[in-house]
Structure formats: structure tokens, C-alpha cells
Amino acid sequence: MGDVKLMKGNEALAEAAIRSGCDAYFGYPITPQSEVLEYLARELPNRKNAAMKILQAESEVAAINMIYGAAGAGKRAMTTSSSPGISLMQEGLSYIASAELPCLLANINRGGPGLGTIQPAQGDYFQSTKGGGHGDYHLIVLAPSSVQEMADHVRLGFDLADKYRNPVMILSDGAVGQMMEKVEFPEQITNLQVDKPWATVGKPKSRERNIITSLHIDPHEMEAINLRLQEKYKVLKKNEVRYQTFMTDDAEYLIVAYGLAARISQKVVELLREQNVKAGLIRPITLFPFPSEIIKQVGSRVKGILDVEMNAGQMIEDVRLSIEGKTRVEFYGRMGGVIPTPEEIFEHFEKIFLKGESK
Amino acid sequence: MTDKSDVLVGDQILISEDVCRIENLVYEKPETLTDTVMHYCPGCGHGVAHRIIMEVVDEMDLQEDTIGVAPVGCSVFAYHYMNIDMQEAAHGRATAVATGIKRVLPDKFVFTYQGDGDLAAIGTAETIHSINRGENILIVFINNAVYGMTSGQMAPTTLEGMTSTTSPYGRDIKTMGHPLKIADMISILPGAHYVTRQAVNTPANVRKAKKAIQKSFEYQKLGKGTCFVEIVSNCPSNWKSTPVESNKFVVEKLIPFYPLGDIKVPKE
Ligand SMILES: Cc1ncc(C[n+]2csc(CCOP(=O)(O)OP(=O)(O)O)c2C)c(N)n1
Ligand code: SF4
């Protein structure tokens, strides 16, 4: 048994970063994620064996470019922010994805668009999973729904980043970042060990110089880079899909939801089961690569699917693509930082699937 | 008396034929420059500026310990010519990238190489804050008063009345603002250890500019803070002039507004 602590999601994320051998954290304050930098600033001086360098950058633009530099130098680098800050990081992320630098970032998603609200939301799904910056690229996107997963996804995220030389995003929301729960840290952390012979650490006589760039003027060369990235995304889709199912074995109805919305939806499934409605839940843990296969498998044999999100309906497009028109897919969502209650989701479910009322 | 084809090396006179002999070589390309033919326009200062940085790296035996950051601008391909590990930064972000590298590799020598559009326009925030933190890096700032790569638009450093494709009737201060003297501005920051303005338009100036870069590497070794070497340069192509005319413009117009010399020297 490792260390058991009661912590906020953001603190668990920061603690996990220390324990996962993160070498550098560069960030900029924004609610509801500022506890990450605050926790690191408070804790690191007391951790004799933690070598992590931290810095409060002058902006998110600077922070993500510091990450680019440190990741390019072969180190484990991490940043965190929330929606408006993540928008500013999109430039850097596009460069990082193109240069294939491994790094970790977390978006503690708040309500938008614009300056929006500091309340939890899932409105950044498109931005996170479909690229976000310019060009054809993807981040690996992990969606924790508990404080425990906020911690677990840090090590997983760093390992995936190193393994695939790709930026990884932890996409959670203000509620998961701010809620306090029990979290267990393993006694022994074993990180994936990978060589980084491409890193810019100073050129020894024995090798050619290393260059980290995303510039390829020749279109054929640029296309070759794009093809390589697309190949990588295919491998990710094959090997790294993660999800959780809840009561799907005998399900006649299915709810698909991630993060906080999934935790609320689990309660909805329980309420439905109490009414003898055989409902089940699929919770994507990786939003990219998206768990299309399992959604297709379970979803094709149910009477209806309800996609629940804290946005206007973004993941629903991926659910519909997965199901290939075989099953009716309906949506329930709240926006702008409003958290849906299990009861209102239940009511909506009942109305459209059980009472046959049209919306 | 020396003949026109003779060359003076110190006080020794060599006739031109002798210059071609190996034993008479006075300059060799440093190992830290690659054999790649540079893409710069004839007469452009970028090539000379590259060379003096790499000569210093070579002479101080720092090839294994130096990491460079290239900008967006005409020198975007600096990494093709500099035979060291390098990272290419997004437009304006070079000092943030350098901060990231230097923070995780504090024993290495890190420098950025940036144009005026890159450093003084889109990257002003990164520049000021990196220097204010006293990042222990060298910033080499090529001020040619124009956006070279994108074919001659106005830069923050474009002089009053100077024409560019976006100030075709001359820079009008009322609507376009004043030319920005970045080196003077940042010299008041406590994090700036050494700030100097040099040029590469004459052999004497090239030597002085090289000396400034050498000093900066020495200060970096001692962990003194940010060193900032501005190099007033030219852009014959976008100034629509010959190399000779453009150097005349440097002497007559640019240097009077951007005077050469040390702006901030460390207290010993
Ligand atoms: C975000 C972004 N905006 C604009 C550009 C286009 N751009 C490329 S180079 C450049 C100007 C560079 O000028 P300067 O830094 O003075 O360097 P020079 O070419 O004169 O050496 C611009 C605006 C870009 N690449 N990225
Ligand atoms: S466009 Fe100007 S700055 Fe660029 S290489 Fe040519 S002369 Fe040099």
C-alpha cells in the first residue's frame, strides 16, 4: 500500500508530477487550476530528491514555449491551464506536435466561450481532440473523472508522451480539479524509460547535430511529416484506447459521457435500474484515441443512446460516427458552467426514450 | 610600396598568389559552421553575424555545450549553417524556448538569434520578461529595420520617414509610432548584465561585434544574467539597394539613430 491522502484534484495532479519525475513545470495562474503551481511552489523546497524546476511564466504563450524548449532538451516537462489559457497555448502545441516533442499539459476546463465563467464545463472537447491549433495533428487526450485519476493520468500521460513522442493533454474540468477525495500514490513509481537521442543537449563530436524544428519548406517533405504523424495516430487508435463500462452487459439503453458528466450519469443509470430500465454507461477515458469500437459494439444492440456532456454537444459527433447510424443517439447537456443533476438527466431520458415524446 | 594585388597581413606583405597557399592561410572556416551554402542575399549581414558567433563557439571550444535557438525571419534556417544542436522557435518565442532549455540544462550555453520583427514586435513580452528574470542566456539581436523574410514590411525599428512595403510614403510617427530602441529599453532591467550595440558593416566593426559575443559567453559561464548583443545590420534586397549602398545607409542613417557601443557594462 502506498501513501493515501485527502486532496484536491489539482493538488493530486501536482503531487503526481513530483512523483513521476517531472523535470520542469512552467505555468500561468488561471482559475480553476492555479493550485497546481501554488502546490509545487509550496512543496518542492521540502522535497530533497525532487529535481523539478518550476517557473511562473509571463503568459501561457511563454509557458508553452518554455515547455517546447525543455521537452526538446529531453526532459519531462509539464504545464497546466484552463480554457482561455489553453487557447493561448494552441500556437505552441501545434509546433510541439509537429516537432514531435513529448510533454504533458492539463486543461481544467471552465465555462466559455470568451472569458466565460470559472465554473466547470466541457466546452473544450473539440479544441482538445480535433487539433486546436493550425495544421493536421492530434494530442493524446485523457479524461479523468476522479481525484485518483487526476494523479494516475499524470504518470500515464508522461509515459504515453515519451512512448509516442506526442503531447498529451489531461482534459478535466473545474469540478474534478477542485473536489477533494481520497487518493492513493503508489509506493514505487516506475516510469517508462526511453532514450531520447534526438534531444538538443549539446552536440558531441561523435554525432551529427540535433535540430528540433517544425519547418519543412518543401511540400513533399512536409507531406512526409504529416503522413508519419497520421501513421502514429493510427497506432494510437489501435493500441491506446481506454474506457470504462458500467452495467453494459445486459443494457438496453446506453449513456455515453466522460469526466464529471460520466460520474453524474452513473447515478442516472442507477436511478434507471431502480425503475427496471436496463441502462448502462460507457465512459471514454481516452478522448483521443476515441473508444469507437466498444461504443459500436454495445451501442448497436441497444434501443437508444443518450450522450451527456457539459457543452452544446461535441463528443456526440464521435459517438454518432462510431455507431454508424445503427442506433438513435440523443443528447443532453448544460453549458456555461452549469452542472446537470442526475434527476434532470433522468427526466430527459424518460421523456425521449420511455414516454416517446419528441423533444 | 605595395602592389594593388598584394595583401597585407599584419605588417607582412603577401602577393596574392601566396594567399592561396595552405601555409599562408590566415583564416579557416570554423568546425562549428557547416558546408551548406547560405541562402542570404549578397551583402546581407546575417551571414557575417552567424560566422562570428560560430567562431567564438569554436575558439572557446563550446561546440559540445552550446544550444542555439533560431527565430522566424530570414535567419529561420540558422540551424542549417551552425554546426551545433539547435531548436527552431515560433515567431517571437525564442527567449521563452531558451528559458526552457537553460532551466533544465543550466550548465550549457544557450543563445537566441533574432530579428527585429521577431524580438521587438511579436516577441516583446517574451524578450522583456526573460531579460527581467535575468535568464543566463545570450540574445543576439539583428536590427535591419525591416521585416526581411516577408519582403520588406515595416518593423518596430524602421526609422521615421523610412519607406517599406507597409509604409510606402515613409514611416509616419503620428500613425505608426516611433522606432523602438529595444537595447536602451531593456538596459534598465536589473536582469540585463551586459547590453551592447554593434554592427558588421566594416571589418573593424565585425571584430568589435565578435568581441562582444565572446564577452557574453564568458559572462554566461559565470552565470551573470542576460547578455544582449544588438547588431545593426542591412537588408539590401528590401531596402532596394546594392550591398555597398546599403552599408552607406547603415552608416548615414541607422547608426546615427542606433549609436554603436556598450549601453550597459557590468560593474566589476
Ligand atoms: C505567428 C506568425 N506571424 C507572422 C509570421 C510571418 N513572418 C515571418 S518572418 C516575419 C518577419 C521577420 O522579420 P525580422 O524578425 O525583422 O527578421 P528578418 O527577416 O529581417 O531577418 C514575419 C512577420 C509568422 N511566421 N508567424
Ligand atoms: S531579405 Fe534582407 S535580411 Fe533577408 S537575407 Fe536578404 S538581405 Fe538579408
Side-chain angles (χ1 to χ4, degrees):
Chain A
M1 176 116 161
D3 271 350
V4 182
K5 293 181 192 286
L6 180 69
M7 286 183 134
K8 272 190 176 189
N10 287 337
E11 293 171 341
L13 191 123
E15 177 61 32
I18 299 176
R19 292 175 186 236
S20 303
C22 175
D23 297 297
Y25 174 94
F26 307 116
Y28 189 81
I30 182 171
T31 309
Q33 64 80 49
S34 301
E35 291 89 353
V36 181
L37 178 56
E38 289 169 355
Y39 184 92
L40 291 173
R42 200 165 64 233
E43 278 298 310
L44 281 172
N46 310 321
R47 303 293 185 88
K48 299 254 162 352
N49 48 3
M52 196 196 303
K53 304 284 189 340
I54 59 164
L55 181 61
Q56 179 170 331
E58 64 271 28
S59 69
E60 289 85 353
V61 178
I64 195 69
N65 282 285
M66 291 172 187
I67 297 289
Y68 175 101
K75 301 292 184 178
R76 283 198 151 179
M78 171 177 165
T79 186
T80 60
S81 190
S82 182
S83 312
I86 297 288
S87 290
L88 281 177
M89 289 183 182
Q90 295 304 330
E91 176 198 57
L93 283 172
S94 171
Y95 281 69
I96 287 172
S98 182
E100 296 189 85
L101 299 179
C103 67
L104 183 65
L105 79 152
N107 178 2
I108 315 298
N109 194 166
R110 62 190 236 181
L115 193 49
T117 163
I118 57 172
Q119 302 302 323
Q122 297 182 325
D124 300 350
Y125 180 90
F126 281 152
Q127 189 195 47
S128 315
T129 61
K130 312 292 181 195
H134 57 285
D136 280 306
Y137 75 90
H138 286 286
L139 310 174
I140 298 170
V141 185
L142 302 169
S145 71
S146 64
V147 174
Q148 182 66 54
E149 276 187 333
M150 284 287 266
D152 295 346
H153 285 185
V154 172
R155 201 175 95 237
L156 172 65
F158 272 128
D159 283 352
L160 288 173
D162 280 344
K163 187 169 169 191
Y164 292 97
R165 284 188 63 180
N166 205 72
V168 175
M169 175 188 273
I170 294 175
L171 177 64
S172 79
D173 59 66
V176 181
Q178 294 293 330
M179 66 168 74
M180 283 187 102
E181 284 185 315
K182 187 183 82 173
V183 52
E184 190 180 336
F185 295 96
E187 219 154 330
Q188 193 63 45
I189 301 268
T190 41
N191 293 327
L192 189 73
Q193 294 298 325
V194 289
D195 286 337
K196 297 180 177 177
W198 46 265
T200 53
V201 293
K203 173 200 151 3
K205 299 258 182 287
S206 55
R207 70 153 162 80
E208 279 291 295
R209 67 194 188 285
N210 282 339
I211 295 164
I212 287 168
T213 184
S214 60
L215 175 66
H216 309 278
I217 292 277
D218 175 358
H220 297 289
E221 196 182 306
M222 192 67 245
E223 187 180 45
I225 302 280
N226 270 289
L227 289 170
R228 192 172 78 216
L229 291 178
Q230 294 303 319
E231 271 314 303
K232 176 161 77 179
Y233 305 146
K234 266 189 222 154
V235 176
L236 283 170
K237 285 178 187 170
K238 196 159 153 268
N239 295 341
E240 302 299 345
V241 169
R242 287 169 171 78
Y243 57 85
Q244 192 187 16
T245 58
F246 177 67
M247 304 194 95
T248 50
D249 285 351
D250 63 343
E252 290 176 359
Y253 291 95
L254 181 64
I255 298 181
V256 183
Y258 73 92
L260 181 65
R263 275 181 85 159
I264 299 165
S265 297
Q266 187 167 329
K267 182 73 187 166
V268 179
V269 169
E270 283 162 11
L271 292 175
L272 286 165
R273 289 270 170 179
E274 278 168 26
Q275 303 297 314
N276 292 321
V277 180
K278 289 183 178 162
L281 171 75
I282 293 178
R283 173 172 78 92
I285 293 174
T286 48
L287 298 180
F288 185 91
F290 191 71
S292 298
E293 268 313 304
I294 187 73
I295 290 175
K296 184 176 169 185
Q297 217 182 83
V298 176
S300 305
R301 59 175 163 77
V302 299
K303 293 178 193 161
I305 301 175
L306 184 68
D307 171 272
V308 179
E309 298 179 70
M310 285 151 58
N311 57 36
Q314 299 190 12
M315 182 178 71
I316 191 169
E317 295 189 1
D318 290 325
V319 174
R320 286 206 169 114
L321 281 172
S322 308
I323 214 76
E324 293 170 351
K326 290 193 173 68
T327 311
R328 177 180 168 200
V329 182
E330 295 289 345
F331 175 70
Y332 186 76
R334 299 296 299 268
M335 284 173 278
V338 178
I339 303 175
T341 65
E343 291 73 22
E344 73 190 40
I345 300 170
F346 177 91
E347 222 173 274
H348 185 81
F349 184 98
E350 198 179 34
K351 193 164 84 186
I352 56 169
F353 286 128
L354 307 180
K355 295 186 179 158
E357 288 174 29
S358 61
K359 285 181 287 169
Chain B
M1 274 299 282
T2 59
D3 188 72
K4 260 201 191 124
S5 57
D6 290 348
V7 177
L8 258 180
V9 178
D11 47 13
Q12 218 188 329
I13 303 164
L14 301 173
I15 56 163
S16 40
E17 281 165 37
D18 290 345
V19 174
C20 305
R21 294 209 194 118
I22 288 287
E23 61 268 30
N24 291 334
L25 271 184
V26 289
Y27 171 75
E28 280 180 75
K29 185 176 72 63
E31 227 182 274
T32 41
L33 273 182
T34 66
D35 287 330
T36 314
V37 176
M38 291 187 187
H39 70 282
Y40 300 115
C41 308
C44 173
H46 272 307
V48 183
H50 282 16
R51 203 188 68 194
I52 55 178
I53 303 169
M54 287 302 103
E55 280 179 6
V56 171
V57 170
D58 202 59
E59 285 159 17
M60 292 177 72
D61 197 19
L62 297 176
Q63 188 183 21
E64 290 192 35
D65 293 312
T66 304
I67 299 149
V69 182
V72 167
C74 276
S75 47
V76 69
F77 283 131
Y79 53 78
H80 281 336
Y81 315 128
M82 300 180 176
N83 193 12
I84 51 169
D85 278 3
M86 286 194 81
Q87 294 195 20
E88 162 59 32
H91 196 30
R93 317 295 175 224
T95 61
V97 172
T99 298
I101 300 170
K102 187 71 185 190
R103 292 283 173 134
V104 296
L105 300 173
D107 298 333
K108 301 288 172 178
F109 292 79
V110 179
F111 73 89
T112 69
Y113 184 99
Q114 300 174 262
D116 43 75
D118 189 86
L119 182 143
I122 193 169
T124 333
E126 286 82 357
T127 304
I128 288 176
H129 288 283
S130 305
I131 298 169
N132 192 44
R133 287 190 302 265
E135 296 297 340
N136 193 27
I137 58 172
L138 161 65
I139 299 171
V140 180
F141 170 47
I142 307 296
N143 179 4
N144 58 13
V146 76
Y147 285 20
M149 186 193 225
T150 42
S151 51
Q153 295 85 4
M154 184 178 68
T157 48
T158 301
L159 300 177
E160 181 178 11
M162 190 174 163
T163 55
S164 74
T165 57
T166 50
S167 58
Y169 307 107
R171 182 179 192 152
D172 171 17
I173 287 193
K174 270 211 202 89
T175 56
M176 301 165 190
H178 299 263
L180 194 56
K181 288 185 174 171
I182 282 280
D184 302 68
M185 222 173 95
I186 56 115
S187 66
I188 62 160
L189 302 175
H193 183 65
Y194 171 52
V195 181
T196 187
R197 191 182 287 120
Q198 303 292 335
V200 287
N201 61 323
T202 66
N205 281 347
V206 171
R207 272 196 292 275
K208 280 190 213 155
K210 181 174 166 183
K211 189 83 203 144
I213 286 162
Q214 209 162 15
K215 271 197 214 163
S216 302
F217 273 97
E218 266 148 24
Y219 291 137
Q220 189 167 152
K221 195 182 282 182
L222 301 172
K224 294 289 188 185
T226 314
C227 293
F228 189 92
V229 178
E230 171 170 343
I231 296 179
V232 176
S233 189
N234 60 346
C235 179
S237 297
N238 288 303
W239 294 356
K240 310 265 182 283
S241 60
T242 64
V244 173
E245 280 164 12
S246 76
N247 273 344
K248 208 165 155 240
F249 187 84
V250 167
V251 173
E252 289 173 1
K253 300 282 190 229
L254 275 187
I255 292 177
F257 191 80
Y258 298 109
L260 306 186
D262 290 342
I263 299 171
K264 183 177 193 178
V265 286
K267 290 186 204 82
E268 297 305 334

